[in-house]
Amino acid sequence: GSSVSDSVGSSSNVQTTDSGSGNGLLWGLNYSPYNTDGSCPDVNTVAGQLAKVASVTKNIRLYSTDCLQFENALQAITSNNLGLSIHAGIWISDGQSRMQSDLDQFVSAAKKFGTGLIKGVSVGNEDISKGMSESTLIGYINQVRSRLQAEGLGNIPVYTTEQDALFSSPMAAASDTVMVNIHAIFDSQFYSIDASVQSVIQRATNVKNNVAGGKPVVISETGWSSAGNTGPCPLTLANEIAYAQKFKCAAKTAGYSYFYFEAKNANWKQGAVASEQNFGIFDAGFTPKFDFNLLN
């Protein structure tokens, strides 16, 4: 379609330089950098992984700043001109001191690298579903926003991320963007991949119409695991591919930005069930699980 980028430079370099437009095969991708044994990767490992991610998308979403992941991602993207934008995360599930540590690291990295690549920051991920009270969560959101304003970083959107069924109007009012995680693989009935995709789009639209209060709605997680068992939904690699293909088209048609779940298999989630470990489009060693040309 027509956009500003059409008139800037040749079409050959628009794809690599227009980082905000989601010119990749997927609009966005959730990225957790942890090594399989749970340890922290160094910046070179992160750079190598993000170079592969940049072949698939222009937007990544992080969950925390621990393991220096936010700073390392900014360093890798900047040094290697990867053309990725970051939606960052501040982890609040483990209490105030961990939240403060994440927030301090976020501020320090944002000041070091500038805010050009930073498109937003989520205060928490599914914390209502983990048992946090809404008032506590909103308090954390406001605390982060106040700190960013005080640090001269008030232009960065601040919000929380939650399962769609648990996202409330007060949470939306406290958030600059409404980020909803919507997964179909836990549904109690399975009809087809097409039906599962349409149900996810419908659930996002329910949030948009009934909860968001005019704020933009982004599908912050959706995907399909290639192994394990969550009920009647058949978790196979063929279905993961079909879901990614069909969801991508449906989201574009419906006008939703999204972060596909997820970059690599989560073998670092020690002891987790197979379905939790096999959402990746890359395996744990960052080899593609299928031919990404199938997403074209």
Side-chain angles (χ1 to χ4, degrees), residues 68-123:
L68 291 178
Q69 62 176 287
F70 179 56
E71 179 164 342
N72 284 348
L74 285 167
Q75 176 75 61
I77 294 164
T78 304
S79 301
N80 300 292
N81 200 21
L82 295 180
L84 288 168
S85 295
I86 301 178
H87 284 67
I90 287 172
W91 194 255
I92 63 173
S93 305
D94 298 321
Q96 175 76 32
S97 64
R98 166 68 186 271
M99 190 279 281
Q100 200 62 56
S101 156
D102 267 37
L103 180 52
D104 289 344
Q105 288 188 56
F106 178 86
V107 167
S108 132
K111 288 185 164 181
K112 181 174 176 182
F113 291 95
T115 58
L117 302 177
I118 306 167
K119 301 305 178 190
V121 59
S122 183
V123 183

Side-chain angles (χ1 to χ4, degrees), residues 61 87 102 154 172 193 231 237 248 262:
R61 174 173 171 254
H87 284 67
D102 267 37
I193 296 292
L237 183 56
K248 173 192 172 171
E262 63 182 321

Side-chain angles (χ1 to χ4, degrees), residues 39 79 101 132 160 168 192 208 220 222 245-246 261 273 294:
S39 63
S79 301
S101 156
M132 185 176 287
T160 194
S168 69
S192 66
K208 183 179 175 182
S220 37
T222 195
Q245 291 170 319
K246 292 170 187 290
F261 190 79
V273 294
L294 293 170

Side-chain angles (χ1 to χ4, degrees), residues 121-265:
V121 59
S122 183
V123 183
N125 181 68
E126 298 192 355
D127 283 281
I128 299 292
S129 78
K130 297 173 196 168
M132 185 176 287
S133 74
E134 188 176 273
S135 59
T136 299
L137 174 59
I138 290 172
Y140 279 135
I141 298 170
N142 292 335
Q143 195 178 334
V144 169
R145 184 179 286 112
S146 299
R147 171 77 183 276
L148 296 190
Q149 286 168 344
E151 297 281 1
L153 301 169
N155 60 318
I156 300 172
V158 178
Y159 44 81
T160 194
T161 306
E162 186 50 84
Q163 295 171 20
D164 59 309
L166 297 174
F167 215 110
S168 69
S169 296
M171 288 160 61
S175 295
D176 296 320
T177 310
V178 173
M179 303 281 270
V180 280
N181 295 347
I182 311 182
H183 289 285
I185 69 165
F186 304 102
D187 290 355
S188 56
Q189 289 174 288
F190 175 78
Y191 303 99
S192 66
I193 296 292
D194 280 302
S196 294
V197 166
Q198 287 309 316
S199 79
V200 168
I201 298 296
Q202 184 57 55
R203 285 163 62 181
T205 302
N206 287 343
V207 171
K208 183 179 175 182
N209 292 343
N210 302 315
V211 178
K215 303 277 176 71
V217 173
V218 174
I219 300 172
S220 37
E221 283 184 15
T222 195
W224 201 273
S225 185
S226 62
N229 186 348
T230 53
C233 290
L235 305 185
T236 64
L237 183 56
N239 282 336
E240 178 181 346
I241 296 166
Y243 184 85
Q245 291 170 319
K246 292 170 187 290
F247 176 80
K248 173 192 172 171
C249 293
K252 187 171 186 180
T253 301
Y256 288 109
S257 301
Y258 62 87
F259 292 90
Y260 199 77
F261 190 79
E262 63 182 321
K264 66 169 174 168
N265 277 356

Side-chain angles (χ1 to χ4, degrees), residues 268-285:
W268 59 271
K269 293 183 179 176
Q270 305 282 340
V273 294
S275 57
E276 284 292 312
Q277 295 182 331
N278 286 278
F279 275 98
I281 62 170
F282 297 92
D283 68 17

